[in-house]
Amino acid sequence: MEHQRKKKLTNFTIGLLFLSGGIEYAVILPTIWAYLQTLHAEPYFLGLGISAFSLTGLLAGPLFGHWSDRTQRTKAIILFANVFEIAGNFMYFMGVSKWLLLGSRLVAGVGTGAGASIFGYLTRSTTSQERATVFAAVMACRQVGLLIGPACNLFLRLCNFRLGPFEVNKFTSPGLFMCLLWILLQFVVVAMYYDLQPSPHPQRVVAVLQEEEEPLVQQDAGQEAAGVERGGYGSVLAGQRAPAEPPMEDEYRYVPNGHLAEEEGREKEKSPFQNFSAMREYLREEVVVLLTAQFITLFNQTALETMVTPITQRYLSFGELENSIMYFLCGIEVICGFFLVRCLSSRLPDRVILVLGLVICNVACVWCLLFLARPQGSFPVLLSELVVGVSLQVLGLPFVAVSQVSLFSKVTAERTQGFSQGLRRSVGGVATILGPLWAGGLTENLYIMLGVMMGLLSLLMVMVGLSYTYLVELPRGYGPGTSQEEQRS
């Protein structure tokens, strides 16, 4: 009972952390463009400011993830990461110059690296069957934050007073608000977050024991044969194919006790430098496809988000209030989308949900290319075209986000989930850097911007189609010397 109580408190705290991350995003984004204008910043600073937050996050993610893999602890990592959030948001509140504003987003971005450790913990504490549901719930918490954030802006925009040498107005108040919120969360983490060791699930006990005896990637003769049988693009790597799929949490082969000494002897005979072959796990076809999906979907999402604010200002004369309402409505739609995916995840495979999400994203990109690249017409017509384009893009996001995160956790080793999730988030971080930079420099050439986004989505659809049969968790009993065809027979 005590363990269950601590686990519920820990999960509740995780939800609050993602909730706060969503609030920060929704509070900062609608006002950062006008804030930069008051500091006489050039237009490209909008892309720099949004990208800076992701730059340090993508660097910190793998480091924090590796830290949690080594220690199997996340509480200290979260407390350490939150210090950067507090400092970065206070710098944003100061608002002395455009360069300090840029630096504030760089500092605050380090705090997002703790997400890799949290996803690693969630992977280790859930089974593959319930993982998509858990991930959907956690991501929904962030979307609730995106819903609450614009509501916070409704009263933050009314601030107009001085706090010592600093002026508190509708532009600086979001930084002060988030600084205080992250300080409050520090106390919540200290009081309610526990470093619990996940209780082993019965079907994974053998897998955990076996992981201690075998490296992440084996290069046995049977695997080489399986690699030859398995075709598709990217099937040849340095003269031989990496294993068709990694031995997953449920699928490590059983080694009888009498053979343990022989297995240990083989491991000792191997060169220490062969441990680097574990990195080849991330070059397998299905892993590359999922990382590509992470990159392209976030690249397109952040590019569209960067594009929307200037478009609404230019063609619809939207201000901070109207933009906040728009993000509020988008938050409601995304939350509904995550609940829909949560229900579908128990009935449909992850790869089917992924394809559904990509189809919706393709339709959204085509719509934007046709109607938003050169907006024309009256206010109601322009507003309707914008609403449809944004709604389609927002609808596809939960499908792609949940499915690719769940699939990625199933095709990478469980014992290094912290680093793996950090790598995945870093790829997403690169996308959230390049997306705003790409869109920020092409707000006057929307055909080029949207055309490239459409091309990337088409490429992703081809990759997913070619690798569709491999985007699954391998059946139990799979071993390094066993091919998929033998498992199916």
Side-chain angles (χ1 to χ4, degrees), residues 14-23 115 118-119 138 141-142 425:
I14 290 175
L16 288 180
L17 291 169
F18 279 88
L19 177 74
S20 300
I23 292 176
I118 295 175
F119 273 109
V138 170
C141 290
R142 186 179 187 276
R425 290 169 66 89

Side-chain angles (χ1 to χ4, degrees), residues 261-277:
E262 179 181 351
E263 291 291 322
E264 292 174 357
R266 289 179 184 175
E267 293 301 319
K268 292 179 181 178
E269 290 174 1
K270 292 184 178 181
S271 168
F273 295 100
Q274 290 185 3
N275 290 331
F276 290 105
S277 65

Side-chain angles (χ1 to χ4, degrees), residues 94 210 279 397 426:
M94 293 169 62
Q210 184 61 23
M279 296 305 297
L397 177 62
S426 292

Side-chain angles (χ1 to χ4, degrees), residues 30 146-147 149-151 153-154 318-332:
L146 293 175
L147 184 65
N153 267 337
L154 294 178
F318 277 11
E320 295 82 11
L321 176 61
E322 291 83 0
N323 284 329
S324 295
I325 294 175
M326 179 180 65
Y327 282 106
F328 178 81
L329 296 176
C330 288
I332 294 178

